[in-house]
Coordinates of all heavy atoms in Angstrom, one line a residue:
L1 N -111.2 37.4 -1.9 CA -111.7 36.8 -0.7 C -111.8 35.2 -0.9 O -112.4 34.8 -1.9 CB -112.9 37.4 -0.3 CG -113.7 36.8 1.0 CD1 -112.8 37.0 2.2 CD2 -115.1 37.4 1.1
I2 N -111.3 34.5 0.1 CA -111.5 33.0 0.1 C -112.3 32.7 1.4 O -112.1 33.2 2.4 CB -110.1 32.3 0.1 CG1 -109.4 32.5 -1.3 CG2 -110.3 30.9 0.5 CD1 -108.0 32.0 -1.2
A3 N -113.3 31.7 1.2 CA -114.1 31.4 2.3 C -114.0 29.9 2.6 O -114.1 29.1 1.7 CB -115.6 31.7 2.0
I4 N -113.9 29.5 3.9 CA -113.7 28.1 4.3 C -114.6 28.0 5.5 O -114.3 28.3 6.7 CB -112.2 27.9 4.8 CG1 -111.3 28.2 3.5 CG2 -112.1 26.4 5.1 CD1 -109.9 28.0 3.9
P5 N -115.8 27.4 5.3 CA -116.7 27.3 6.4 C -116.4 26.1 7.3 O -115.9 25.1 6.8 CB -118.1 26.9 5.7 CG -117.6 26.4 4.4 CD -116.4 27.0 4.0
T6 N -116.6 26.3 8.6 CA -116.4 25.2 9.6 C -117.8 24.9 10.2 O -117.8 24.1 11.2 CB -115.4 25.6 10.6 OG1 -116.0 26.8 11.4 CG2 -114.1 26.0 10.0
T7 N -118.9 25.5 9.7 CA -120.3 25.1 10.2 C -121.1 24.9 9.0 O -120.8 25.2 7.8 CB -120.9 26.2 11.0 OG1 -121.1 27.4 10.2 CG2 -120.1 26.6 12.2
A8 N -122.2 24.1 9.1 CA -123.1 23.9 8.0 C -124.4 24.7 8.3 O -125.4 24.1 8.9 CB -123.4 22.4 7.9
G9 N -124.3 26.0 7.9 CA -125.5 26.8 8.3 C -125.7 28.0 7.3 O -126.6 28.1 6.6
T10 N -124.7 29.0 7.4 CA -125.1 30.3 6.8 C -125.0 30.3 5.2 O -125.7 31.0 4.6 CB -124.2 31.4 7.3 OG1 -122.8 31.1 6.9 CG2 -124.3 31.5 8.8
G11 N -124.2 29.5 4.7 CA -124.0 29.5 3.3 C -123.3 30.8 2.8 O -123.2 31.2 1.6
S12 N -122.6 31.4 3.8 CA -121.9 32.6 3.6 C -120.8 32.5 2.6 O -120.4 33.5 1.9 CB -121.3 33.3 4.9 OG -120.9 34.5 4.6
E13 N -120.3 31.3 2.4 CA -119.2 31.1 1.4 C -119.7 31.3 -0.1 O -118.9 31.4 -0.9 CB -118.7 29.6 1.6 CG -119.6 28.5 1.3 CD -120.5 28.1 2.5 OE1 -120.6 28.8 3.4 OE2 -121.1 27.0 2.3
V14 N -121.0 31.2 -0.2 CA -121.5 31.4 -1.7 C -122.5 32.5 -1.8 O -123.5 32.4 -2.6 CB -122.1 30.0 -2.2 CG1 -121.0 29.1 -2.5 CG2 -123.1 29.5 -1.2
N15 N -122.4 33.5 -1.0 CA -123.3 34.7 -1.2 C -122.5 36.0 -0.8 O -121.3 35.8 -0.4 CB -124.5 34.6 -0.4 CG -124.5 34.6 1.1 OD1 -123.8 35.5 1.7 ND2 -125.0 33.6 1.7
Y16 N -123.1 37.2 -1.1 CA -122.3 38.4 -1.0 C -122.8 39.2 0.2 O -122.6 40.4 0.4 CB -122.3 39.2 -2.2 CG -123.7 39.7 -2.6 CD1 -124.0 41.0 -2.8 CD2 -124.6 38.7 -2.9 CE1 -125.2 41.5 -3.2 CE2 -125.9 39.2 -3.4 CZ -126.2 40.5 -3.5 OH -127.4 40.9 -3.9
Y17 N -123.5 38.5 1.2 CA -124.1 39.2 2.4 C -123.1 39.2 3.5 O -122.4 38.2 3.8 CB -125.4 38.5 2.8 CG -126.5 38.3 1.8 CD1 -127.0 37.0 1.5 CD2 -126.8 39.4 1.0 CE1 -128.0 36.9 0.5 CE2 -127.8 39.3 0.0 CZ -128.4 38.1 -0.2 OH -129.3 37.9 -1.2
S18 N -123.0 40.3 4.3 CA -122.3 40.4 5.4 C -123.1 41.0 6.5 O -123.3 42.2 6.4 CB -120.9 41.2 5.2 OG -120.2 41.5 6.5
V19 N -123.7 40.3 7.5 CA -124.6 40.8 8.4 C -123.8 41.2 9.7 O -123.1 40.4 10.3 CB -125.6 39.7 8.9 CG1 -126.6 40.3 9.9 CG2 -126.4 39.2 7.6
L20 N -123.8 42.4 10.0 CA -122.9 43.0 11.0 C -123.7 43.7 12.0 O -124.8 44.2 11.9 CB -122.0 44.1 10.3 CG -121.2 43.6 9.1 CD1 -120.5 44.8 8.5 CD2 -120.2 42.5 9.5
T21 N -123.3 43.7 13.3 CA -123.9 44.3 14.5 C -123.4 45.8 14.5 O -122.3 46.1 14.5 CB -123.5 43.6 15.8 OG1 -123.9 42.2 15.7 CG2 -124.1 44.3 17.0
L22 N -124.4 46.7 14.5 CA -124.1 48.1 14.5 C -123.6 48.5 15.9 O -123.6 47.8 16.8 CB -125.4 48.9 14.1 CG -126.0 48.6 12.8 CD1 -127.2 49.4 12.5 CD2 -124.9 49.1 11.7
P23 N -122.9 49.7 16.0 CA -122.3 50.2 17.2 C -123.2 50.2 18.4 O -122.7 50.1 19.6 CB -121.8 51.5 16.9 CG -121.5 51.4 15.3 CD -122.5 50.6 14.8
D24 N -124.5 50.4 18.3 CA -125.4 50.4 19.4 C -125.5 49.0 20.1 O -126.1 48.8 21.1 CB -126.8 50.9 19.1 CG -127.6 50.0 18.1 OD1 -127.1 48.9 17.8 OD2 -128.6 50.5 17.6
G25 N -125.1 47.9 19.4 CA -125.0 46.6 20.0 C -126.3 45.9 20.0 O -126.5 44.8 20.5
E26 N -127.5 46.5 19.4 CA -128.7 46.0 19.4 C -129.3 45.6 18.1 O -130.3 45.0 18.1 CB -129.7 47.0 20.2 CG -129.3 47.1 21.7 CD -130.3 48.0 22.4 OE1 -131.3 48.6 21.7 OE2 -130.4 47.9 23.6
R27 N -128.8 46.2 17.0 CA -129.3 46.0 15.7 C -128.2 45.4 14.7 O -127.1 45.8 14.9 CB -129.8 47.4 15.2 CG -131.1 48.0 15.9 CD -131.4 49.4 15.4 NE -130.2 50.2 15.7 CZ -129.9 51.2 14.8 NH1 -130.6 51.4 13.7 NH2 -128.9 52.1 15.1
K28 N -128.8 44.7 13.7 CA -127.9 44.3 12.6 C -128.2 45.1 11.3 O -129.4 45.5 11.1 CB -128.0 42.8 12.4 CG -127.6 41.9 13.6 CD -127.7 40.5 13.2 CE -127.2 39.6 14.4 NZ -127.1 38.2 13.9
K29 N -127.2 45.1 10.5 CA -127.4 45.8 9.2 C -126.6 44.9 8.2 O -125.4 44.7 8.5 CB -127.1 47.2 9.2 CG -127.5 47.9 7.8 CD -127.3 49.3 7.8 CE -127.8 50.0 6.5 NZ -127.7 51.4 6.5
T30 N -127.1 44.6 7.1 CA -126.4 43.8 6.0 C -125.6 44.7 5.1 O -126.1 45.5 4.4 CB -127.3 42.9 5.3 OG1 -128.0 42.1 6.2 CG2 -126.6 42.1 4.3
F31 N -124.3 44.4 5.0 CA -123.5 45.0 4.0 C -123.5 44.0 2.8 O -123.3 42.8 3.0 CB -122.1 45.1 4.5 CG -121.0 45.4 3.4 CD1 -121.0 46.3 2.5 CD2 -120.0 44.4 3.3 CE1 -120.0 46.5 1.5 CE2 -119.0 44.4 2.3 CZ -119.1 45.5 1.4
K32 N -123.7 44.5 1.7 CA -123.6 43.7 0.4 C -123.1 44.5 -0.8 O -123.5 45.8 -0.9 CB -124.9 43.0 0.1 CG -126.1 43.9 0.0 CD -127.4 43.1 -0.2 CE -128.6 44.0 -0.1 NZ -130.0 43.2 -0.2
A33 N -122.2 43.9 -1.4 CA -121.6 44.6 -2.6 C -121.3 43.5 -3.7 O -121.0 42.4 -3.4 CB -120.4 45.3 -2.2
S34 N -121.4 43.9 -4.9 CA -121.3 43.0 -6.0 C -119.9 42.4 -6.1 O -119.6 41.3 -6.7 CB -121.6 43.7 -7.4 OG -120.8 44.7 -7.6
D35 N -118.9 43.1 -5.5 CA -117.5 42.6 -5.5 C -117.2 41.9 -4.2 O -116.0 41.7 -3.9 CB -116.5 43.7 -5.8 CG -116.6 44.8 -4.8 OD1 -117.3 44.7 -3.8 OD2 -115.9 45.9 -5.0

């Protein structure tokens, strides 16, 4: 994976967190994996 940020906020380019909206559309859950 390559990350190219266009905002100055999340820092997602240097962490392994992926915050996703669950199918109910009301909750989030974070996917994270060492790879």
Side-chain angles (χ1 to χ4, degrees):
L1 177 65
I2 291 171
I4 304 174
T6 62
T7 67
T10 67
S12 188
E13 67 274 10
V14 286
N15 63 54
Y16 63 120
Y17 306 128
S18 174
V19 183
L20 307 173
T21 300
L22 295 180
D24 64 12
E26 295 188 345
R27 294 174 297 144
K28 293 185 177 186
K29 186 173 182 178
T30 301
F31 159 64
K32 51 187 176 182
S34 60
D35 58 7

